[in-house]
Amino acid sequence: MTLLNKTAVELQSLLHNRELTVKELTEESFARIAKLDESVQAFLSTNEAEALAQAEALDQQPLEGRGPLFGLPIGLKDNIVTKGITTTGASKMLANFVPVYDATVVEKLKEAGMVIVGKLNMDEFAMGSTTETSAFKKTYNPWNLDHVPGGSSGGSAAAVAAGEVPFALGSDTGGSVRQPAAFCGVVGMKPTYGRVSRFGLIAYASSLDQVGTITQNVEDNAMLLQAIAGLDPKDSMTSPQEVPDYKAALTGDVKGLKIGVPKEYLGEGVSDEVKKAVQEALQTLESLGAEWEEISLPHLHYAAEAYYVIATSEATSNLARFDGIRYGYSAEGVHDLDELYARSRAEGFGREVKKRILFGTYALGAEHHKDVFVKAQKVRTLIAQDFAQAFEKYDVIIGPSSATTAYKIGETNKDPLALYANDVLTVPVNLAGVPAISVPCGFADGLPVGLQIIGKHFDEATLYKVAHAFEQATDFHTQTPAIREGK
Ligand code: GLN
């Protein structure tokens, strides 16, 4: 039994009663990493000396004025920049990049007194769904090491599932928090676009990217989002809308809640086990007094195609900054500037990233722009309208977070297009800019299934309410992978 099985509230009470020090808790996290990360491979780097020094300093602080996350360990996806700590985006391009500033979310975590224990593996520049496109290593699903943890925030979800850290941040451009959370049996929230600052998040597709929260339970998740959400003068897309008290939303009361269940979310391509788990979850919510009805989001069918056009178009522009001069990898022995650009990018970027840069360049090119990019933007609007219409009648929309459980390592290499198509249940949320959470709702062949609850813009509170009520009525979140207890 590890301390890290406890909730944030339990840990805080131990700290408060002086039954535990921040240093002991930090040491426990590093002990877990030492024990388990050889198998799980969630971390790209750890920050032990500094974290322990920070922990000692935090222990000196008076009990009064400590917030709910004070002294608790957290891991960060390696596309969130950390002052003085190497931040690679899992790319050779940034293998030696040591930022001179903190992302706004990191500043906020530090203000809350959280201890950053290390940086987590991911797909290169967050492009992928399995964490296999990382330039450095693969991460393994703690539930079954033959399977991927999902992606692109696979390291974040795996580290929380393995009990190496109770908290992690990821980023979600098209599902990269929700899908790995589902694959690893943990809770993952993709907030409303503009709820959390993107300042210091290495950009993939700026109109879709959001930092998201990954935890073992819903209450912890609500507290973590509370700590990082809000207006940031350094990100002009953040909203001035007030951040509500998310924990206050955890009332357990979902009586009269209206749920829309898109038939497209339980249609073709969704595995029978996943369908069954989601249908049972709907019954559970019904037994708690919620009502659900089948609905349709008619444009969902085109979501993955529109997403991949928009995401790669934005990526090609965002990644133009990696030119071998200002940041990161620079090719040696070049003869002129053109060769420096070409070779730095050819050698610094991995295959998936290059593929997407090429695709985005094609989509934006003068000859194709109208037929490809502009069309995708139109589809985006139609999808946003589908959601807006559904939310006139329903409080939340529910479906699976992923059509299947975690893939076998290497399995998806055979059919990359099928892998892109699998994102169809998560990408519409990013295209519409609405929030969504994934919570554990079952198992199939020993691998977790995730329930996706989608909400109205800036209504994360209702998502937490529903997710929490469901969690209280079930025991999926209390089950942990065998590796976690060293079995
Ligand atoms: N799988 C999607 C992609 O590869 C989503 C990635 C993400 O959300 N960062 O683009």
Side-chain angles (χ1 to χ4, degrees):
M1 176 76 176
T2 160
L3 270 172
L4 301 183
N5 281 351
K6 297 191 185 301
T7 67
V9 170
E10 289 165 349
L11 289 172
Q12 209 47 252
S13 122
L14 290 176
L15 288 170
H16 211 81
N17 297 331
R18 303 226 183 261
E19 289 164 46
L20 176 69
T21 63
V22 176
K23 188 163 178 229
E24 285 163 354
L25 186 57
T26 311
E27 282 167 348
E28 171 74 359
S29 185
F30 284 112
R32 301 277 304 166
I33 295 168
K35 185 169 158 201
L36 293 173
D37 219 48
E38 212 172 302
S39 323
V40 178
Q41 302 278 330
F43 280 87
L44 283 176
S45 62
T46 49
N47 188 32
E48 192 158 356
E50 274 175 54
L52 289 173
Q54 190 199 349
E56 276 179 18
L58 289 171
D59 276 323
Q60 302 309 312
Q61 287 194 22
L63 292 179
E64 308 78 64
R66 294 184 176 189
L69 299 176
F70 184 92
L72 307 187
I74 186 163
L76 304 177
K77 186 175 183 179
D78 210 20
N79 60 351
I80 297 173
V81 307
T82 38
K83 188 175 175 177
I85 304 175
T86 307
T87 301
T88 67
S91 180
K92 185 176 169 194
M93 186 58 96
L94 290 176
N96 301 312
F97 174 54
V98 183
V100 293
Y101 66 99
D102 275 327
T104 296
V105 291
V106 175
E107 274 180 2
K108 286 184 177 237
L109 296 177
K110 287 182 176 170
E111 277 162 30
M114 294 197 89
V115 178
I116 294 161
V117 302
K119 304 298 293 287
L120 293 155
N121 198 19
M122 53 184 280
D123 284 297
E124 183 176 1
F125 285 110
M127 296 175 184
S129 311
T130 64
T131 310
E132 291 169 295
T133 75
S134 166
F136 304 117
K137 61 182 186 179
K138 289 185 175 60
T139 296
Y140 300 89
N141 191 314
W143 289 90
N144 182 336
L145 299 173
D146 294 333
H147 291 254
V148 301
S152 62
S153 313
S156 302
V160 172
E164 296 175 328
V165 277
F167 294 92
L169 291 185
S171 67
D172 191 313
T173 304
S176 281
V177 163
R178 289 160 286 155
Q179 183 256 32
F183 281 8
C184 292
V186 293
V187 179
M189 167 68 101
K190 195 295 278 189
T192 308
Y193 185 77
R195 181 72 298 178
V196 176
S197 171
R198 288 177 296 115
F199 179 76
L201 171 69
I202 296 175
Y204 164 12
S206 308
S207 78
L208 302 159
D209 297 341
Q210 267 297 282
V211 171
T213 44
I214 298 182
T215 57
Q216 312 180 92
N217 62 72
V218 175
E219 185 184 59
D220 284 6
N221 206 288
M223 291 197 285
L224 185 57
L225 180 60
Q226 194 83 46
I228 61 167
L231 182 66
D232 178 13
K234 292 179 187 150
D235 174 0
S236 61
M237 296 308 283
T238 52
S239 167
Q241 201 159 318
E242 209 186 309
V243 182
D245 181 351
Y246 294 129
K247 221 179 133 184
L250 310 182
T251 59
D253 181 11
V254 293
K255 276 196 198 72
L257 182 99
K258 292 198 165 50
I259 304 170
V261 180
K263 62 172 193 278
E264 295 82 3
Y265 269 76
L266 291 172
E268 211 185 310
V270 181
S271 84
D272 289 343
E273 292 104 325
V274 168
K275 272 186 208 165
K276 188 165 161 267
V278 170
Q279 276 152 356
E280 282 169 9
L282 289 168
Q283 279 167 17
T284 302
L285 287 167
E286 206 168 35
S287 73
L288 297 172
E291 298 155 20
W292 69 271
E293 262 171 20
E294 190 177 276
I295 61 167
S296 175
L297 299 174
H299 299 95
L300 199 91
H301 186 63
Y302 309 105
E305 287 82 350
Y307 166 82
Y308 274 96
V309 169
I310 293 168
T312 56
S313 297
E314 293 186 21
T316 197
S317 157
N318 275 326
L319 268 53
R321 75 190 68 181
F322 300 104
D323 56 6
I325 298 172
R326 286 170 296 175
Y327 303 87
Y329 183 82
S330 194
E332 294 194 359
V334 296
H335 300 97
D336 57 29
L337 189 60
D338 282 342
E339 194 187 346
L340 175 66
Y341 291 153
R343 278 204 22 228
S344 298
R345 290 168 69 82
E347 292 163 21
F349 288 136
R351 193 180 151 79
E352 182 66 26
V353 174
K354 281 186 226 170
K355 204 159 79 179
R356 292 186 187 211
I357 290 173
L358 287 176
F359 189 76
T361 307
Y362 174 92
L364 290 176
E367 321 86 277
H368 312 292
H369 160 264
K370 258 209 170 117
D371 294 339
V372 182
F373 184 71
V374 174
K375 230 179 223 170
Q377 296 290 8
K378 288 182 178 167
V379 173
R380 180 176 193 169
T381 301
L382 291 171
I383 288 170
Q385 285 170 353
D386 280 357
F387 277 109
Q389 224 164 31
F391 284 129
E392 279 173 20
K393 203 163 164 210
Y394 301 96
D395 300 307
V396 294
I397 292 172
I398 287 185
S401 303
S402 169
T404 65
T405 53
Y407 321 119
K408 269 216 151 118
I409 302 264
E411 178 189 325
T412 56
N413 293 342
K414 291 175 224 142
D415 192 351
L417 275 181
L419 186 61
Y420 292 169
N422 277 355
D423 288 340
V424 69
L425 303 182
T426 49
V427 296
V429 163
N430 303 71
L431 290 169
V434 293
I437 192 169
S438 179
V439 284
C441 76
F443 292 90
D445 291 330
L447 288 167
V449 178
L451 184 72
Q452 184 174 203
I453 311 170
I454 306 170
K456 299 174 187 171
H457 286 111
F458 298 102
D459 196 16
E460 285 81 1
T462 298
L463 300 188
Y464 282 131
K465 181 168 77 177
V466 180
H468 175 74
F470 177 74
E471 186 185 74
Q472 296 306 300
T474 55
D475 69 353
F476 305 115
H477 69 291
T478 63
Q479 302 185 34
T480 51
I483 192 179
R484 189 169 164 139
E485 306 317 331
K487 279 177 212 155

